[in-house]
Amino acid sequence: MKIDLEKCKGCGFCEEVCPLGVITIDDRKVVIHEGCVDCKSCMKVCPHDVLTPAPAEEGAKCMSCPIMCTIPEGSRGACMRYSNKGGEIIREGRLHTYEEIEGLLRTGHDDGSIGRPLITGIGSGTTYPDFRPSPFIVSGVRDGIDVVTVVTEAPLSYSGVKLKIDTDLYLGEESRKVYVRRKGKRHVGHLCTEEYGSKILSLGGVNILTSKDGMFAAKVLFEFLKGKEIKLEVENGSTLELTLGQPPKVNGKSEEHMRVGCGSAVSGLFAPYMAKAADEVIVLDGHITGLFSEHPSGKYLKKTRSAVTIKGRKSTDGRYFLDKGAGWGGTDVQEPLDVIKEIDAEKRVEGMTLLITETTGRKAVFYRMRDGRFMEEPLTEEASAFLETLRDSCEASRVSAVFAAGVGGSARAGVTKNPIKLTRAVHAGKVAISIGGAKPFIFPGGGINFLVDVEEIKQGSIYLSPTPSFVIPVEYTMSLETFKDIGGHIDAMRPVEEVVKSKGEKEQ
C-alpha cells in the first residue's frame, strides 16, 4: 500500500481493522510494518484517502477468495488460513473427520446413510471462482449405500449472529441500534425482542456488513465467535459485556440467574408456597406482573382477595402489563411500593402482610401494615421458604448464539453445475447440510437459509475475510444417485479413505 502521510490525521481506523496487526499509529501517522498482504482493509475505512493500492514487490498471490492477498514468504494471508511457503500458497491446518468433532455436538444427527458427513469442511480450504468443484468431494459406503460428501470453506457475506442473553433486566426498546465504541462509535446490530426470559440481539447481517461500519462490525463479531468478550451499547439503553457461554454483564453487573417465568407463571408454579408467604404477593416482571390474591392460582387455593390493586394494564385477573424500564423485574418500578395503585380502605386490615419480589427472587421485600401503612419487616419463615424455592428454580444465565447465514448462493457451484437442483434436493431431504459437522435448522421456502448453534462448531474453524464475510466450513452429504441427479462434479470425486489418508500423511 502507498501512504500519503500529509493526509494522515492519525485516527487509527486502519489500525483497528487490520486483520494481521501490521499497522500502527506512530506520532499520529500511519505505519505499515512487514507482513502486509495488500488486503486493502485499511484503505476501505480510511476517511482521508491516505492509502492507495500499490503493486507488491514480492510474494505469492492467493486465489482462494476475491481479496487475492499477495502474501510474502513465510507470512499468512488476511483470513489467516493460507500462507506462503517457498513461494507456494498452502492451506494451513488439516482436514477434520466427523469423528474428531462429534463430541462437540449437542443435538447429534439423524441415523441413516446421509445423516452424517463423511468428512467435515474444517481445514478444507476454498476454491475460487465459485464454478470450480469444491476442494474435496469424497465418496464412501454407508449402510450399503454409496454416499457422497462435498466440503468447502464458504465465504458468506449474507451472515450474522443472533445472540440470546438470559436476563430479565431492561436493555432498551425493541429495534434500537446496538453500537460498539472503540476508536469510533460503530453500528453493529440491533435489539430484536424478548424470548421467554431472554433478550435477543441481531449482530451483523448483510446490510450492516456492507455499510460503512461493516469492517468494524465484522471484526467485533469475529472476536465474539473466537470466545473473546465484547462490549456493546444499546441506543438509549444498557451497556453490555458479552462472552459466548458466560453470564452476561448488564450495566457492569454480572447477571447470574435467569427468571423462572413471568409473574403469572411464578404464581402458577409456586402457588402453594405463595399462599403461605404473605396475605398478598406481587411478582414484578417486565412481561406480566402477577397479583396473587386476584390470580386464578390464588383463587383456586381460596386466597382472600386483598385490599391491594396495582398499576398497569390488566390482561386478565391477576395479570398486568407494566411499562418496561430499569426498575424491578425489568419494569419502570424503582421503589416496590410504587406498583400499588390503591388500597381499599374498607378491606384494609391492620397487620396485613405483603411480599413484593422479582421473578428471580433476586430482589424481594416484606411488609406489614401498621397504622394504615405498609412498613418493611424481616422476611418470615414462610416468605423465605417461597423465595428460596423460587431462586433454586432459576437456571444460570449465559450468552448463547446461533450463526445465521445461507448457502443457497454461489457456494452451490462447487457442488453442482445445476444449483437449483441442489436447493430442491436439500428441501426434499435428499441432501443433508452440516456446518463443521453440526446440524443446522434449514428454513422452509426458497434458498438454503440456516441457523446453527455456534458452540457446536469447533472453535477456531470460522474465519474472517475482509470482503467482509465470514468463512465457515460446510458439508453437503447425499447418496451417489442424488449427486448424479443434481449434476454433481463427478470427475472431482475421490474415495474418502484416500483423502483422509493423504491429509494425514501431509501432517507428518
Side-chain angles (χ1 to χ4, degrees):
M1 301 295 294
K2 289 178 61 178
I3 304 173
D4 186 342
L5 290 178
E6 292 296 319
K7 294 181 177 179
C8 183
K9 309 297 183 186
C11 65
F13 296 166
C14 51
E15 181 184 31
E16 184 176 338
V17 301
C18 177
L20 296 168
V22 298
I23 293 180
T24 58
I25 303 298
D26 297 345
D27 296 327
R28 296 187 60 78
K29 297 294 180 183
V30 60
V31 178
I32 300 180
H33 301 274
E34 289 186 6
C36 175
V37 298
D38 200 26
C39 73
K40 304 178 184 61
S41 298
C42 51
M43 187 184 74
K44 293 174 183 174
V45 301
C46 179
H48 305 294
D49 298 325
V50 172
L51 301 144
T52 52
E57 296 180 357
E58 57 182 22
K61 188 171 285 291
C62 179
M63 303 296 288
S64 297
C65 84
I67 295 296
M68 297 188 179
C69 296
T70 301
I71 307 176
E73 169 72 29
S75 297
R76 286 180 173 178
C79 72
M80 305 297 283
R81 293 183 299 157
Y82 292 91
S83 62
N84 178 348
K85 292 186 177 177
E88 184 181 0
I89 299 297
I90 302 293
R91 170 65 175 96
E92 291 193 343
R94 61 178 176 79
L95 200 62
H96 282 58
T97 65
Y98 176 79
E99 288 71 22
E100 287 180 274
I101 57 86
E102 192 172 11
L104 296 173
L105 306 179
R106 295 171 174 167
T107 53
H109 282 276
D110 297 334
D111 293 331
S113 57
I114 66 169
R116 293 166 283 121
L118 294 172
I119 56 173
T120 77
I122 299 173
S124 65
T126 308
T127 49
Y128 190 79
D130 303 303
F131 63 85
R132 297 168 58 206
S134 291
F136 294 99
I137 300 177
V138 301
S139 61
V141 178
R142 182 176 286 157
D143 301 331
I145 298 174
D146 291 322
V147 174
V148 175
T149 295
V150 181
V151 302
T152 187
E153 291 175 320
L156 303 175
S157 55
Y158 280 84
S159 58
V161 176
K162 304 289 186 285
L163 269 61
K164 173 176 170 285
I165 303 169
D166 299 332
T167 181
D168 62 345
L169 298 177
Y170 180 73
L171 301 189
E173 293 180 12
E174 286 185 7
S175 79
R176 288 291 185 176
K177 291 181 178 179
V178 175
Y179 297 101
V180 63
R181 189 187 297 271
R182 294 182 179 173
K183 294 183 186 299
K185 184 179 178 181
R186 307 294 177 182
H187 177 205
V188 299
H190 65 277
L191 177 61
C192 296
T193 186
E194 298 188 27
E195 297 286 356
Y196 217 80
S198 304
K199 306 295 193 296
I200 307 296
L201 298 187
S202 174
L203 302 183
V206 65
N207 293 327
I208 286 179
L209 293 184
T210 57
S211 73
K212 64 179 179 58
D213 290 338
M215 296 289 290
F216 302 95
K219 184 163 188 179
V220 170
L221 267 181
F222 188 49
E223 291 172 358
F224 176 80
L225 293 171
K226 291 196 297 184
K228 294 184 177 180
E229 180 185 273
I230 58 173
K231 296 181 180 180
L232 304 174
E233 300 175 9
V234 179
E235 180 182 17
N236 297 328
S238 300
T239 60
L240 304 169
E241 295 168 62
L242 307 174
T243 306
L244 183 63
Q246 299 297 315
K249 290 182 182 177
V250 180
N251 295 327
K253 294 183 179 179
S254 181
E255 181 77 324
E256 300 296 337
H257 296 96
M258 63 184 298
R259 66 178 191 166
V260 176
C262 67
S264 176
V266 168
S267 300
L269 285 165
F270 303 106
Y273 297 92
M274 295 172 70
K276 298 176 182 176
D279 295 318
E280 183 62 274
V281 181
I282 300 172
V283 184
L284 283 165
D285 179 65
H287 179 201
I288 299 174
T289 289
L291 181 64
F292 186 65
S293 74
E294 188 188 46
H295 193 276
S297 296
K299 292 179 180 176
Y300 186 87
L301 294 176
K302 303 187 183 310
K303 191 77 173 175
T304 301
R305 178 69 179 94
S306 77
V308 173
T309 57
I310 62 174
K311 298 174 182 176
R313 291 172 290 114
K314 186 173 181 177
S315 169
T316 56
D317 283 353
R319 305 168 77 251
Y320 291 81
F321 300 135
L322 272 64
D323 289 338
K324 297 180 185 299
W328 280 48
T331 70
D332 65 344
V333 175
Q334 298 292 337
E335 297 295 332
L337 288 179
D338 289 347
V339 72
I340 294 177
K341 181 178 181 181
E342 63 179 357
I343 301 172
D344 189 330
E346 294 185 1
K347 292 183 178 180
R348 188 174 61 193
V349 177
E350 190 72 1
M352 171 191 171
T353 56
L354 169 67
L355 176 64
I356 302 179
T357 181
E358 297 180 319
T359 53
T360 58
R362 174 180 44 202
K363 291 197 291 189
V365 61
F366 187 85
Y367 302 94
R368 189 179 300 275
M369 182 164 285
R370 298 189 185 281
D371 299 326
R373 298 175 57 197
F374 280 119
M375 306 296 289
E376 186 173 344
E377 287 192 357
L379 294 170
T380 62
E381 183 178 337
E382 292 79 6
S384 295
F386 161 56
L387 292 172
E388 185 176 340
T389 302
L390 180 60
R391 292 165 184 153
D392 288 346
S393 300
C394 294
E395 296 178 85
S397 290
R398 72 196 305 276
V399 178
S400 308
V402 292
F403 194 86
V407 288
S410 60
R412 295 174 294 176
V415 182
T416 172
K417 305 178 188 71
N418 298 289
I420 188 61
K421 288 189 175 182
L422 173 60
T423 302
R424 290 168 179 163
V426 169
H427 288 287
K430 294 181 178 180
V431 175
I433 302 285
S434 52
I435 307 299
K439 182 180 180 181
F441 169 77
I442 306 288
F443 283 88
I448 309 175
N449 297 17
F450 67 84
L451 299 173
V452 63
D453 184 347
V454 169
E455 292 175 81
E456 288 198 67
I457 304 173
K458 183 177 184 291
Q459 196 168 81
S461 60
I462 298 177
Y463 298 87
L464 177 63
S465 168
T467 51
S469 60
F470 292 96
V471 182
I472 65 168
V474 183
E475 303 91 32
Y476 307 81
T477 301
M478 66 207 86
S479 69
L480 176 59
E481 181 181 4
T482 297
F483 191 53
K484 291 178 179 177
D485 287 345
I486 65 172
H489 296 292
I490 292 289
D491 294 343
M493 196 167 62
R494 298 164 59 190
V496 63
E497 296 83 2
E498 176 188 307
V499 169
V500 171
K501 182 179 179 181
S502 66
K503 298 306 287 184
E505 290 174 345
K506 194 173 184 179
E507 277 289 296
Q508 297 170 3

